[in-house]
Amino acid sequence: MSGQLMPCSPQEIGSLFLFEKLTPEQLGRLCSEGRVEKFEPGPVYTEGEPATCFYVMIEGGLVLSRRVGGDDVEVTRTAQPGVYCGAMQAYLGDRVRQVYNNSMRVTDTSRFFVMPADTFANIMQEWFPMAVHLLEGLFFGSKSTQRAIGQRERLLALGSLSAGLTHELNNPAAAAVRATATLRERVAKMRHKLAVISSGPYPREALANLIEVQERTAERVAKAPTLSPLEAADREDAVTDWLDDHGIPDGWRLAPTFVQAGLDIDWLDQVAAAVDAEILPGAIGWLNYTVETELLMDEIEDSTSRISHLVDAAKQYSQLDRAPYQNADVHELLDSTLLMLSGKIGTRIQVVKEYDRTLPKVPCYPAELNQVWTNLIDNAVHAINGVGGEGTLTVRTALEHDRLLVEFRDTGPGVPADIRGRIFDPFFTTKPVGEGTGLGLDISWRIVVNKHHGTLQVESEPGDTRFQVLLPLTAAADETSEESA
């Protein structure tokens, strides 16, 4: 929006802090090549438009805002003379996209010194060549550093996740290997025991009965109930007494296996009734091997299922073979991230899930949201470790007006009020040197706010810190068109 042209006084603009060190000749050139405009309350320029002018406020009041989703978020409100905005990067030329990075509106009748972007760039290059080089170095160096450290941050996160995943996979894999080795030994003993029984002077009917008992035993193992420690101990004592009464050697050793498989003295009575007394000890020993093999196969199945579950979680976390933008269930994303980070979280931190499972899926970039969850969980774990390593991490989902809330709450020491406004700044970190790059929350903020048109905020006091992510339930128009393309 153009304002009303006003006289330009070199003395007046020279009183502004931005121009106070300039010579009278330089101030005269500014007035001859620039202009003073008066604006009535209302918009002056809009974010994303070509940056054509550099503005310095002489008097009045202004508000700068950024577009976030469907809302304009106020970032600056001031009435200080000399504040500047607009084409502030014109001196970088076509090396960067020359558009307004925010929107400006004036709140009162205001006067601005206005300079065309080309003029501002030429004056900067001519009057302050060294400053321009320094600013260029700062601008591009900062971007280069941010990219490099961002890559390092991702590699560190990947290393941490790989270590956690390896740790989680190692336990079921080792259990499956142990169970397989033991199973091979038990099957060999069962074949030997069967050979001993079959070579004895036993009628065919007795052996047939024994085979039938074996089948029923295997079926019963698959349906074994879960007993309390006290119930299991009582049943073991009863089974041990029965085995001792029937002359079965090492009854105390066999009893725990039978009880774990859900077998009791009623089953033993059925076995005793089905086979002759002279082959009962051998039959019990053979059935013990049957029970052990069934339990070992259950253990192998459980271990391999856990491995499969971990692999599925890793695929969910990395979003392999999935569209980058899709409607996703945030609970699946949260669960996969928590599982991937379980090794880092450890056993001293209690994880509490307060999920509202009725929430709808949200349009999002799931892999990038997983990166946000990773950063916020990592910060929560670091905070809890700072107060002894014991605490609670609560992950909550809820509907907040027309947006989906994902909240991470930890019982750490809290974020001090004097730095709360800086925690989302690039390279700002409270972690010791070498432990944090200061980009985790900056990356998270950009993913949530810039890419998903959501909100990332923090509420904190000692023992109760809450990072809250608010995501829109509907896709932005640009995302919808991109997805359909």
Side-chain angles (χ1 to χ4, degrees), residues 424-471:
F424 297 110
D425 292 348
F427 307 111
F428 179 80
T429 180
T430 59
K431 296 178 181 178
V433 175
E435 290 189 20
T437 61
L439 285 179
L441 289 179
D442 170 59
I443 291 171
S444 300
W445 193 91
R446 285 188 282 114
I447 290 173
V448 172
V449 176
N450 294 345
K451 197 143 191 179
H452 289 85
H453 312 295
T455 302
L456 175 57
Q457 59 197 30
V458 61
E459 298 176 0
S460 183
E461 60 184 47
D464 185 3
T465 297
R466 307 182 185 203
F467 280 89
Q468 298 171 328
V469 177
L470 289 160
L471 299 170

Side-chain angles (χ1 to χ4, degrees), residues 325-327 363-365 451 453 473-485:
Y325 188 79
Q326 58 179 290
N327 289 320
C364 64
Y365 296 89
K451 197 143 191 179
H453 312 295
L473 297 176
T474 56
D478 55 341
E479 302 292 357
T480 304
S481 60
E482 178 182 326
E483 186 179 13
S484 60

Side-chain angles (χ1 to χ4, degrees), residues 196-269:
V196 171
I197 293 176
S198 61
S199 63
Y202 309 119
R204 178 177 298 179
E205 293 77 11
L207 294 178
N209 290 339
L210 186 57
I211 296 297
E212 182 185 357
V213 170
Q214 181 191 37
E215 293 297 328
R216 286 192 283 114
T217 300
E219 292 175 2
R220 189 156 181 170
V221 173
K223 302 175 183 178
T226 301
L227 302 176
S228 68
L230 184 58
E231 291 173 329
D234 289 343
R235 185 173 292 187
E236 285 179 17
D237 290 341
V239 170
T240 300
D241 292 341
W242 189 97
L243 295 172
D244 291 342
D245 292 342
H246 288 75
I248 309 299
D250 297 330
W252 60 271
R253 184 178 59 82
L254 302 178
T257 303
F258 288 156
V259 171
Q260 183 184 354
L263 308 179
D264 52 21
I265 56 176
D266 290 337
W267 170 80
L268 291 170
D269 287 337

